Amino acid sequence: MPRRDPRRPPRLAEFPLIRDLARRFGKTGASVRCGIGDDAAVLRAAPGDLLITTDLLAEGIHFDRTTAGFEDIGYKAAVANLSDIAAMGGTPSHLLVALAIPAGCSRSDIHRLYRGLMQACRPHRVELVGGDTSASKQGLFVSLTLTGTVKPGRALTRSGARVGDLLYVTGTIGDSLAGLRLLAARAKGRRRTSVSLDAKDRRHLIGRHLRPTPRLAVGRLLAERRIATAAIDVSDGLSGDLVHICDQSDVGVEIQASALPLSPACLRYAGQTRTPPWSLALTGGEDYELLFTVRPGHRAAIERLSRSVGCRLSCIGTIRAKRLGRRLIQADGTTHPLPVTGYRHFSATAGPG
Ligand code: ADP
Ligand code: MG
């Protein structure tokens, strides 16, 4: 039992908090024999392969309480995990939440965090079955563990891309980084920045940063229909995440800058800030879109899939031989090495991408 320092502000009582969380957010269905409240959760084993993923968010590294509220933090934490399951082609099922809570956080702050978490999870029928709660001497830590299922042998990995495959991405990219920069400028009190975007564009970009959409339906169909050869979600920046596919598949890649899908709001942001749109698209992280490769014969299947889930799927390049490296082809036909500037922890030059 850790000792309490009497000079510190009072902390939340652990057990009443857990009871409260269980009552508000811990309702579960038939797949859960025993949820929150015992030494471990008891789940009925589902058929298929089991997926399990975990993600740790640390205050000051992954989020900043000046640009994100508790609901936003919870929502983003859930999406980071849901998106990992999407990138494997799976269906998410059960969630565990470990928290280290600093002094000064109230019970209603933690409720708001769980409301955000469950807002992201509920549409996918993910059930909260347990967690762990500790005090923290410095900052808030949120660690989620999410399970999921996928048909046996169908999980999408990073290692299946082959020379000649087409590279696709879901949705639009770069919005999240633009939204984060707008929020950061606002937090610093620079309401009137050189960026003159209308309220609708700002709302769109900030919304995409705070409320990204995990691409679960796309991932699941890519796996079920055996369309994708490899997949990853864009969490650290498209070019950085693409490196993982290239390294693990032992291939190179060629990207067409003009094919990168940017939203109209992001294009206007790029224009206002004199940033090349391709650079926002390649380096911006936390879009939680899926980046995946398909055999060239599957173009028509991709178009059908795109229509059936109502999600834009853009072909942005081609997998090439490893010796050709990773290249970016600009609209004027000039070829450049693909810049890699995603977020890197433990690096001297680390900084949000
Ligand atoms: P133990 O001492 O065995 O780890 P705890 O007192 O930490 O047990 O947890 C009691 C129950 O509450 C367990 O079912 C655990 O999974 C759940 N739990 C603890 N903290 C959280 C949390 N932050 N969110 C959800 N469930 C939690
Ligand atoms: Mg515990």
Side-chain angles (χ1 to χ4, degrees):
M1 184 72 181
R3 247 189 300 152
R4 299 212 191 283
D5 178 345
R7 288 162 304 178
R8 285 181 171 271
R11 290 188 181 276
L12 282 172
E14 181 185 345
F15 296 115
L17 175 70
I18 296 173
R19 268 198 305 278
D20 223 33
L21 292 174
R23 190 170 52 80
R24 286 168 189 259
F25 306 103
K27 296 222 170 39
T28 53
S31 67
V32 181
R33 285 187 196 275
C34 171
I36 297 177
D38 220 301
D39 293 312
V42 184
L43 310 179
R44 289 174 205 273
D49 287 351
L50 173 68
L51 300 171
I52 182 158
T53 180
T54 190
D55 230 60
L56 170 67
L57 301 190
E59 183 171 349
I61 306 284
H62 302 92
F63 62 87
D64 183 335
R65 279 200 265 154
T66 61
T67 55
F70 282 91
E71 255 177 279
D72 302 325
I73 295 164
Y75 185 96
K76 279 278 275 289
V79 169
N81 286 267
L82 291 165
S83 178
D84 283 332
I85 298 289
M88 299 304 287
T91 303
S93 53
H94 299 100
L95 177 69
L96 296 154
V97 181
L99 297 177
I101 306 171
C105 274
S106 68
R107 189 186 288 205
S108 73
D109 292 336
I110 302 303
H111 287 172
R112 283 207 296 279
L113 187 133
Y114 274 72
R115 270 204 292 280
L117 272 173
M118 297 317 284
Q119 192 196 336
C121 287
R122 216 168 279 120
H124 308 289
R125 294 201 286 275
V126 168
E127 300 177 302
L128 175 68
V129 294
D132 201 22
T133 308
S134 164
S136 164
K137 286 201 169 173
Q138 212 163 41
L140 175 68
F141 292 82
V142 184
S143 172
L144 266 51
T145 302
L146 180 65
T147 65
T149 52
V150 64
K151 282 197 179 146
R154 295 279 182 89
L156 304 174
T157 64
R158 299 174 177 187
S159 58
R162 284 172 290 170
V163 174
D165 282 358
L166 303 174
L167 180 69
Y168 277 83
V169 69
T170 57
T172 59
I173 41 181
D175 291 337
S176 180
L177 175 59
L180 174 63
R181 288 188 181 160
L182 291 173
L183 280 172
R186 188 197 278 175
K188 283 193 188 134
R190 284 193 269 121
R191 274 197 171 276
R192 296 211 51 78
T193 57
S194 54
V195 188
S196 73
L197 285 176
D198 67 22
K200 196 159 154 272
D201 282 351
R202 280 178 189 274
R203 260 201 314 278
H204 171 82
L205 296 171
I206 291 173
R208 291 268 297 156
H209 178 70
L210 295 178
R211 292 287 185 276
T213 308
R215 298 295 186 185
L216 283 152
V218 176
R220 190 161 50 235
L221 290 173
L222 288 174
E224 265 173 21
R225 299 180 183 176
R226 297 181 194 267
I227 298 173
T229 50
I232 190 169
D233 66 319
V234 181
S235 53
D236 294 336
L238 192 148
S239 59
D241 290 316
L242 182 55
V243 170
H244 298 306
I245 288 191
C246 289
D247 283 351
Q248 294 183 41
S249 299
D250 221 22
V251 293
V253 72
E254 196 174 273
I255 290 204
Q256 302 290 337
S258 60
L260 293 165
L262 280 94
S263 67
C266 193
L267 281 171
R268 285 190 281 272
Y269 175 88
Q272 285 283 323
T273 54
R274 297 194 175 80
T275 317
W278 58 263
S279 138
L280 268 178
L282 290 179
T283 61
E286 297 191 317
D287 288 308
Y288 297 107
E289 297 294 350
L290 295 185
L291 184 63
F292 58 94
T293 55
V294 302
R295 299 300 296 158
H298 277 141
R299 259 186 200 278
I302 287 286
E303 272 151 35
R304 276 196 301 278
L305 194 157
S306 169
R307 277 195 301 276
S308 75
V309 295
C311 176
R312 177 172 172 179
L313 302 177
S314 308
C315 180
I316 60 168
T318 311
I319 297 297
R320 298 289 185 212
K322 187 175 185 176
R323 65 184 161 77
L324 300 175
R326 295 185 299 268
R327 299 183 301 170
L328 179 68
I329 303 178
Q330 291 291 0
D332 62 7
T334 54
T335 298
H336 310 265
L338 192 66
V340 178
T341 47
Y343 191 87
R344 293 276 173 281
H345 297 281
F346 310 118
S347 134
T349 56

